[in-house]
Each structure stands twice: as structure tokens, then as C-alpha cells.
């Protein structure tokens, strides 16, 4: 059983100031974690095959260096026929990687646990090309694939697989293991009435978990850490695990005397997106659930709070209030690997914010992207991209044109590396399109990134000139004076030529960003049509925003479902639920083809059939175009972000950083074409 010490709330009887609580040590079965911040298991696509690769090692070691107290590696399958996604690690192949990781984090004292699991009926047969196994033949809600019912020999093999994986992990030098009984886990499927319909001894829903924990404890011995990630609310009260049932389960499992750490999570087969949701769900959403489970555990195990814990103050409050013994801040440490170090230093305001956007850190999709972060694109690419910290040998004067995320990141990196930077922004505020788009439900956190970038630029001495429109002649003057230039001029609205019928009294047509900048009063009275040929988050957010303002809204999209790209962030089903609850009418498989007097004409993308819907104002959420007037006046000038091609904040920040590295490589008075300037260095 674990020893829980160093509790800041218990020691003082009151809340500690920001920093010390997160930085307080925690002892887990004789292993002292240097802080109370956990970096939890998550898909990364960093594996070379099914291993823990050198990319994993660099990724985790960076968080250990930044102060993470406990790291749980990406969950590895304990049997070869379990293959939940293409690059999912396999425990039998992870020994060398786990050993390399143990060595890499040794200087920091971080407690590293190997994540072990089995996806059961929520796996994928696409990679294993074998049947899925589950407690009962209940089709998965997402894949619709029907698994086979596990028989005793299969159960025995899984228990043995957990023990073998655990033994391999501790032999590699790790401090212990975490067993997965979370939203995508076979063990949770046994815990739940949704998926366990058995009539044999495993109708006792905790039996398999007890067997696994017993076997793993025997395999790792009495001195290693054993943790359990436990889904404590499947959000399906008609048959799933409820908080009340989870309290009973936690009590029973804590009473075994085998566990040292319990991570409280939520989610099940109908609610996997609830595990790590977007900003539409308030941060620290599991706070009450965790507090109840911790009360049930009654000090027998340490308890971790999980659930969009992304802000230092909220994490400190959870510890000080006795909600948990440690906090899982996974996405927050993807956004800023130095989160704990900055909190310890008394500068939590310098922690790069997590936007809870899931745009780059949620990577279980068929493109197999590497885990990363829109605000910190080096995350996941530690073996390829140079750190931005450091000083360049030949500092220069640099003019950055444009104060959106691309320009701000270029200015921040350049100033941090010793250059003298002037940032010229034509508007009256910094932030560009990202600040403008930070409007409406679940989108307000977007502004945190540009606020952070602006604050860092101010701290580093960047001279910001608002309301300054730079001309081509000024670019020439800068070059003549030996000043480097980076263009980050953003985007402009594209022309939308909707043919009008002969008797048309055309509805008002407004570009999405223009509307967001001006507010709903920009629109004339009457029904609003939000046209979304892209399928991204902007149109869904605008539709929700306008509906909340009392407008009658129809969302027109060419896809089978509104906001189809939200499937990549885990927000697709929740977004469509919100649209329905807001009474937003969804006109699907359709594109706007004509506008007429008080209506628009929609065309079915499959059949070509046309129909009319009422419209007083149309909000166009189609692609924008690069603002390249200044670039075309002086071709070859280094540029970044939307003025190259309007995309997401990730590309803007990444390219702003790349251009900053390009400046450092350029001779002081030499102009290099963009193609040459883009080669090598930072990704």
C-alpha cells in the first residue's frame, strides 16, 4: 500500500500559494515523485513499429526535465491480438524503449510507470486481422464490430500478458505500472453492465480486475508501484458504471492492499469523447467525482484528479482542497513541458496555455499524425526540431510585419535568441484571426494563446507598433539597412459570387471573420444561413453563437453530418448534440447555389436536386485567401502563416518559428528566396 506524504493542505490547514503544492513531493511505495503532477498515458504515434521508440524517450524526458512527478507511458497492449490503433505499443516489444526511458529520466527523479492495457471490443481488427475479444458479444458503439465472448483460456492469456508486461517493465528499470480500466479498456468492459452480460463467474464484474492486479503485484514484487486508471462514470446510467457503483468498486479494489495509485476518469463506450473533451466542457470537470472516490479510498491509495486539468491555479486548488493527492495535467504539459518548473519558480503566468482544442494532441485517426500542440509545435518532434532556447551568434535587427500568431511567434523566438525585434501590426490589437475567432461557446480559450504570445513578446522587449501599415518601400529601406524582414500579414476574405435570381433582393452576405469581429448586430433581421463548405469548427461555433443570441439559424454543409472535421478533435457527436439542443436546423448534403429574394437555393451534392430555404443574411465560412499584396510587391521575402495559405493556428505558429530560425541562418545583409530559406533547421 502506498505512503501518502507531503500533503500541503494537511501540513498547513490552508491553501498554499501557486507553486509549492504542485511542487511538493509524493511518495508512492517508497518511490518519491518530485512533484504532484502526472503526465498521463495517451496516443502519440511516436512508435516506429509497436515499440517505445527514441521519439517516445525524448518526448517523456522533456516532461521529466520540466518537473513532471509521475509519467505513465503510452498504454501498451498485453497480448499481440490486441491492436487498438496502428502504432499502438505492444508490451512484449517495449523492453528496450522502457530501459532507455528509465535511464533518460534518472537525473530528474521522475517516477515512470508503464501503461498496460487491453482494448477488448474497442480495439481494431484492421491491424491484427483477428477477432476482437470482449466480456460479451456486444457490438462496439463506434466501430459497430461484434466481438467474440472471451473464454477461460483467453482470459488466462490476458492475465498472463499483464503479468509478463509488468515484469518486463520493472526489469527495464521503471518504477512500476499502471493498469488501464478506463474508457477504452477491456477491464472497464467487464466492470460495466453495458458490455458484461455473462452468466459465469465473471458476472462478478471485478473478478478479472482482481485477478490482473494480483498477478501483476506478484510479478513486480512488493517494492514497485501499481496504479489503476478507473472509469468511475460511464455517463450511461441505464446500465453503465455510475459514480455510486464506482465508489463501491474503488472501495473493494483499494481494500485488496495491492494498489498505490488510483486515477479517477470518466467515459465508456457511448462517451469516449468525455475522457479528454474540448473546451466545450469546463476544465477540472471530474473534481466532484474525484473527491467522492478519494473519500471512499480513505487514504489507502493515492488518488489522482484527471479531466482537463490545464490551469495551474485550478490544479493547486484541487490539491489544497483535498480533492486529490496529485493532478494529471497531460495536455497542459504537451502545451508546456516546463509547467511544473515555471510554477515552482513563482511564474505560473509564463506557462504556455492549453487551449483544450484537441487539434494536434488527439491523434487517433487514419492519418497517423505525430502528437503535437498548436502552441508548442516542438512537442512530439523533440528528436527533429531544435529548441527555441539559446542565443544566436550574430544578433540582427528584424522587422516582423503582422501581429497574428505567426508574427507573434516569430517575434518571440527571435527576441528570445537575442535579436532586436520590431513588430508592426496594421490593426489596433494583436492576435489576428485567432483573436477574432475566439468568440462563442467553447472558443473563448483560443485567445489565451495570443495573449500569452503578446505577453512573452513584451517580456522579451519586442517593440510593438500598432496601427502601422508597412509599405514595399519600407521593406526596401529595411533591407538596405541590414534589417531582416518576416511577413505574417494574414488573410483576406475570398470573393463569394453567388448567382442571383432575376428578381433577387439579395440577402446580406457576410464573411465569417467580419461577423465575429463586429458581433451579431452586423446582421440584418431575419433567418440566418451559415454556409460551411469546409466542415470545420468555425461554422459550428458561429451557428451556436448566433442561436444563443436569439437568431433563427440554418447550418448548410455538403457532408452527411455537420462539422465533419470535428471528428478529429473528438467533438463531432457533442457538437451535433449542441446544435440540436440550440434548435439550429442542419441542411446537409447541400451547397448554396443561388440567392434570391428572402431565400437561398441549395443543391443536393448527390442528386443535384434544388430547394429553397428562407434567408435574410448568409454567413460564409468558406476558405479565406492569403493577404499577399506586400509579398507580391517584394517576392522572396520570408513569410509565415495565413499569408502563405490560410490554415490553422498550428501551421501559423510552426511557420513563424521556422522563419525565426531562418533569420538566424541568413547573412546580415543578404536576401534569400523563401524556398531556400525553408530548408533545414526547425521543422
Amino acid at each position: 500500500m502506498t505512503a501518502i506524504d507531503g500533503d500541503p493542505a494537511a501540513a498547513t490547514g490552508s491553501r498554499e500559494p501557486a507553486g509549492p503544492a504542485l511542487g511538493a513531493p509524493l511518495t508512492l511505495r517508497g518511490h518519491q515523485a518530485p512533484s504532484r503532477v502526472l503526465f498521463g498515458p495517451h496516443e502519440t504515434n511516436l512508435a516506429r513499429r509497436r515499440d517505445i521508440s527514441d521519439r517516445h524517450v525524448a518526448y517523456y524526458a522533456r516532461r521529466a526535465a520540466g518537473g513532471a512527478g509521475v509519467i505513465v507511458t503510452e498504454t501498451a497492449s498485453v497480448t499481440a491480438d490486441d491492436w487498438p490503433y496502428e502504432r499502438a505499443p505492444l508490451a512484449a516489444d517495449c523492453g528496450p524503449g522502457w530501459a532507455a526511458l528509465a535511464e533518460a529520466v534518472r537525473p530528474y527523479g521522475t517516477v515512470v510507470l508503464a501503461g498496460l492495457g487491453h482494448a477488448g471490443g474497442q480495439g481494431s481488427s484492421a491491424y491484427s486481422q483477428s477477432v476482437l475479444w470482449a466480456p460479451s458479444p456486444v457490438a462496439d458503439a463506434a466501430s459497430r464490430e461484434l466481438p467474440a465472448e472471451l473464454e477461460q483460456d483467453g482470459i488466462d492469456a490476458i492475465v498472463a500478458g499483464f503479468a509478463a508486461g509488468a515484469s518486463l517493465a520493472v526489469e527495464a528499470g521503471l518504477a512500476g505500472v499502471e493498469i488501464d480500466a478506463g474508457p477504452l479498456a477491456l477491464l472497464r468492459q467487464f466492470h460495466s453492465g453495458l458490455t458484461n452480460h455473462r452468466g459465469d463467474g465473471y458476472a462478478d464484474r471485478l473478478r478479472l480486475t482482481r485477478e490482473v492486479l494480483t498477478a501483476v503485484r506478484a510479478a513486480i514484487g512488493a517494492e514497485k508501484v501499481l496504479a489503476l486508471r478507473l472509469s468511475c462514470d460511464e455517463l450511461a446510467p441505464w446500465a453503465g458504471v455510475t459514480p455510486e457503483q464506482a465508489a463501491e468498486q474503488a472501495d473493494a479494489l483499494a481494500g485488496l492492499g495491492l494498489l498505490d495509485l488510483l486515477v479517477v476518469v470518466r467515459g465508456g463506450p457511448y462517451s469516449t469523447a468525455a475522457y479528454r473533451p474540448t473546451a466545450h466542457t469546463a476544465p477540472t470537470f471530474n473534481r466532484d467525482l474525484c473527491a467522492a472516490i478519494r473519500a471512499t479510498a480513505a487514504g489507502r491509495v493515492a488518488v489522482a484528479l484527471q479531466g482537463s486539468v490545464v490551469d495551474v491555479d485550478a490544479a493547486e486548488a484541487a490539491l489544497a482542497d483535498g480533492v486529490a493527492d496529485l493532478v494529471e495535467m497531460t495536455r497542459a504539459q504537451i502545451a508546456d513541458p516546463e509547467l511544473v518548473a515555471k510554477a515552482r519558480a513563482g511564474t505560473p503566468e509564463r506557462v504556455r496555455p492549453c487551449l483544450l482544442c484537441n487539434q494536434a494532441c488527439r491523434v487517433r485517426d487514419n492519418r497517423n499524425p505525430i502528437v503535437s500542440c498548436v502552441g508548442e509545435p516542438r512537442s512530439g518532434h523533440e528528436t527533429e526540431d531544435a529548441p527555441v532556447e539559446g542565443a544566436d551568434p550574430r544578433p540582427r535587427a528584424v522587422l516582423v510585419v503582422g501581429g497574428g500568431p505567426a508574427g507573434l511567434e516569430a517575434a518571440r523566438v527571435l527576441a528570445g535568441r537575442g535579436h532586436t525585434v520590431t513588430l508592426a501590426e496594421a490593426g489596433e490589437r494583436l492576435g489576428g484571426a485567432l483573436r477574432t475567432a475566439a468568440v462563442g461557446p467553447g472558443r473563448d480559450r483560443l485567445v489565451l494563446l495570443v495573449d500569452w504570445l503578446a505577453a512573452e513578446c513584451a517580456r522579451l522587449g519586442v517593440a510593438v507598433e500598432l496601427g502601422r501599415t508597412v509599405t514595399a518601400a519600407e521593406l526596401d529601406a529595411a533591407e538596405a539597412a541590414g534589417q531582416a524582414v518576416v511577413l505574417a500579414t494574414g488573410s483576406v476574405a475570398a470573393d463569394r459570387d453567388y448567382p442571383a435570381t432575376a428578381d433577387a433582393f439579395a440577402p446580406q452576405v457576410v464573411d465569417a471573420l467580419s461577423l465575429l469581429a463586429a458581433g451579431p448586430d452586423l446582421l440584418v433581421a431575419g433567418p440566418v444561413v451559415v454556409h460551411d463548405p469546409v466542415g470545420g469548427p468555425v461554422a459550428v461555433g458561429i451557428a451556436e453563437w448566433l442561436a444563443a443570441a436569439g437568431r433563427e439559424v440554418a447550418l448548410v454543409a455538403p457532408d452527411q453530418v455537420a462539422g465533419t472535421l470535428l471528428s478529429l478533435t473528438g467533438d463531432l457527436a457533442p457538437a451535433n448534440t449542441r446544435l440540436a439542443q440550440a434548435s439550429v436546423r442542419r441542411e446537409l448534403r447541400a451547397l448554396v447555389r443561388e440567392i434570391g429574394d428572402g431565400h437561398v437555393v441549395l443543391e443536393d451534392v448527390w442528386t443535384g436536386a434544388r430547394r429553397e430555404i428562407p434567408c435574410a443574411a448568409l454567413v460564409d465560412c468558406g476558405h479565406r485567401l492569403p493577404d499577399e499584396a506586400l509579398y507580391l510587391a517584394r517576392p522572396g521575402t520570408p513569410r509565415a502563416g495565413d499569408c502563405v495559405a490560410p490554415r490553422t493556428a498550428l501551421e501559423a505558429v510552426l511557420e513563424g518559428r521556422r522563419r525565426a530560425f531562418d533569420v538566424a541562418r541568413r547573412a546580415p545583409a543578404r536576401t534569400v528566396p523563401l524556398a531556400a530559406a525553408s530548408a533545414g533547421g526547425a521543422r
Side-chain angles (χ1 to χ4, degrees):
M1 190 175 299
T2 191
I4 305 172
D5 62 7
D7 186 336
T12 65
S14 62
R15 182 170 300 175
E16 294 272 328
L22 287 181
L26 175 72
T27 301
L28 298 169
R29 197 171 286 258
H31 298 261
Q32 187 174 81
S35 75
R36 292 170 178 263
V37 177
L38 186 152
F39 190 56
H42 54 285
E43 294 90 346
T44 67
N45 284 325
L46 293 172
R48 302 290 183 182
R49 294 179 178 82
R50 298 198 69 185
D51 57 3
I52 296 294
S53 71
D54 59 323
R55 297 186 295 191
H56 279 109
V57 172
Y59 179 68
Y60 294 129
R62 189 177 174 206
R63 276 75 199 169
V70 179
I71 290 175
V72 182
T73 62
E74 186 167 357
T75 301
S77 296
V78 297
T79 61
D81 61 353
D82 175 53
W83 204 332
Y85 51 96
E86 186 173 349
R87 296 187 186 177
L90 176 66
D93 294 346
C94 290
W98 283 333
L101 176 58
E103 185 62 28
V105 303
R106 197 179 311 281
Y108 313 113
T110 306
V111 173
V112 181
L113 308 179
L116 297 176
H118 192 295
Q122 291 172 277
S124 173
S125 61
Y127 311 112
S128 68
Q129 295 188 317
S130 63
V131 67
L132 300 180
W133 297 99
S136 302
V138 178
D140 179 55
S143 71
R144 313 297 168 85
E145 184 169 351
L146 189 72
E149 181 170 302
L150 272 165
E151 298 178 355
Q152 190 61 52
D153 59 344
I155 291 174
D156 293 343
I158 289 169
V159 173
F162 272 104
S167 179
L168 188 62
V170 298
E171 288 171 4
L174 300 190
V177 299
E178 180 192 85
I179 305 302
D180 187 13
L184 292 163
L186 173 68
L187 295 184
R188 182 207 47 76
Q189 294 159 32
F190 270 88
H191 295 176
S192 172
L194 294 168
T195 43
N196 185 347
H197 300 167
R198 299 177 73 101
D200 62 3
Y202 292 96
D204 172 356
R205 294 174 182 166
L206 291 185
R207 176 177 168 179
L208 178 57
T209 298
R210 290 196 303 269
E211 292 176 350
V212 166
L213 295 178
T214 300
V216 168
R217 174 53 73 194
I220 65 176
E223 296 181 353
K224 296 294 184 178
V225 178
L226 177 53
L228 177 68
R229 182 164 298 258
L230 182 67
S231 178
C232 295
D233 187 356
E234 291 189 292
L235 302 174
W238 61 91
V241 174
T242 65
E244 294 76 19
Q245 292 170 346
E248 296 174 0
Q249 293 176 351
D251 181 47
L253 294 171
L256 297 175
L258 303 172
L259 285 173
D260 305 299
L261 174 63
L262 186 67
V263 183
V264 176
V265 304
R266 72 175 187 181
Y270 300 108
S271 56
T272 53
Y275 179 40
R276 287 194 173 106
T278 65
H280 287 88
T281 299
T284 63
F285 55 81
N286 276 336
R287 184 182 161 104
D288 292 344
L289 179 63
C290 185
I293 298 299
R294 185 174 186 257
T296 297
R300 292 172 290 177
V301 297
V303 174
L305 169 67
Q306 183 275 343
S308 297
V309 187
V310 290
D311 301 312
V312 169
D313 287 347
E316 294 281 2
L319 294 173
D321 293 344
V323 171
D325 301 293
L326 64 166
V327 287
E328 180 175 313
M329 304 184 75
T330 301
R331 284 179 288 181
Q333 290 176 97
I334 298 175
D336 195 332
E338 297 179 341
L339 181 149
V340 178
K342 290 176 180 177
R344 276 200 181 112
T347 57
E349 71 282 356
R350 290 203 55 217
V351 173
R352 183 186 290 102
C354 170
L355 306 185
L356 291 174
C357 64
N358 285 359
Q359 290 182 15
C361 59
R362 189 180 187 275
V363 296
R364 188 183 286 200
D365 70 56
N366 56 16
R367 303 170 304 163
N368 290 324
I370 300 298
V371 67
S372 196
C373 174
V374 298
E376 171 47 330
R378 187 170 177 249
S379 286
H381 297 271
E382 284 82 2
T383 59
E384 304 161 4
D385 290 4
V388 300
E389 296 78 17
D392 289 324
R394 292 179 296 177
R396 306 187 60 184
V398 186
L399 172 64
V400 177
V401 185
L408 285 167
E409 177 68 359
R412 180 188 78 88
V413 173
L414 286 163
R417 297 185 67 83
H419 301 273
T420 302
V421 183
T422 299
L423 188 151
E425 164 57 41
E428 295 303 322
R429 62 178 186 171
L430 297 172
L434 189 60
R435 182 180 294 280
T436 303
V439 173
R443 298 182 62 78
D444 54 331
R445 287 189 70 91
L446 295 178
V447 78
L448 297 179
L449 178 58
V450 290
D451 283 347
W452 181 85
L453 287 167
E456 285 293 290
C457 284
R459 183 181 67 84
L460 293 166
V462 174
V464 174
E465 299 179 0
L466 297 176
R468 178 185 171 187
T469 300
V470 175
T471 66
E474 288 179 277
L475 297 188
D476 294 339
E479 182 178 5
Q483 187 177 26
V485 175
V486 176
L487 299 181
T489 49
S491 66
V492 294
D495 291 334
R496 312 296 183 192
D497 184 18
Y498 299 109
T501 56
D503 59 348
F505 180 80
Q508 177 189 23
V509 179
V510 178
D511 170 70
L513 285 187
S514 298
L515 172 65
L516 290 169
D521 291 343
L522 179 65
L523 301 179
V524 300
V528 180
V529 170
V530 177
H531 187 211
D532 182 23
V534 176
V538 173
V540 170
I542 286 176
E544 291 183 78
W545 177 55
L546 291 174
R551 302 302 296 262
E552 177 186 340
V553 182
L555 177 64
V556 176
D559 305 301
Q560 287 276 69
V561 63
T564 183
L565 294 181
L566 294 176
S567 62
L568 303 178
T569 68
D571 194 42
L572 182 62
N576 277 269
T577 299
R578 295 193 305 271
L579 290 171
Q581 291 171 338
S583 298
V584 172
R585 191 169 75 254
R586 285 161 288 172
E587 299 283 353
L588 304 174
R589 300 199 324 271
L591 289 169
V592 173
R593 289 308 189 199
E594 292 181 1
I595 56 176
D597 189 0
H599 69 271
V600 296
V601 177
L602 306 183
E603 181 178 276
D604 189 289
V605 297
W606 286 3
T607 68
R610 294 196 169 194
R611 65 185 188 276
E612 295 180 0
I613 63 171
C615 175
L618 184 145
V619 181
D620 196 289
C621 299
H623 289 292
R624 292 170 64 83
L625 295 175
D627 185 350
E628 54 187 357
L630 196 55
Y631 176 78
L632 293 177
R634 297 295 182 269
T637 306
R639 55 180 175 160
D642 285 1
C643 69
V644 180
R647 290 149 294 158
T648 73
L650 172 62
E651 287 82 13
V653 172
L654 176 58
E655 290 177 2
R657 185 174 295 188
R658 285 173 171 171
R659 297 297 82 78
F661 276 96
D662 292 343
V663 166
R665 285 192 294 269
R666 287 158 54 96
R670 181 183 173 193
T671 300
V672 180
L674 179 64
S678 298
R683 187 171 47 88

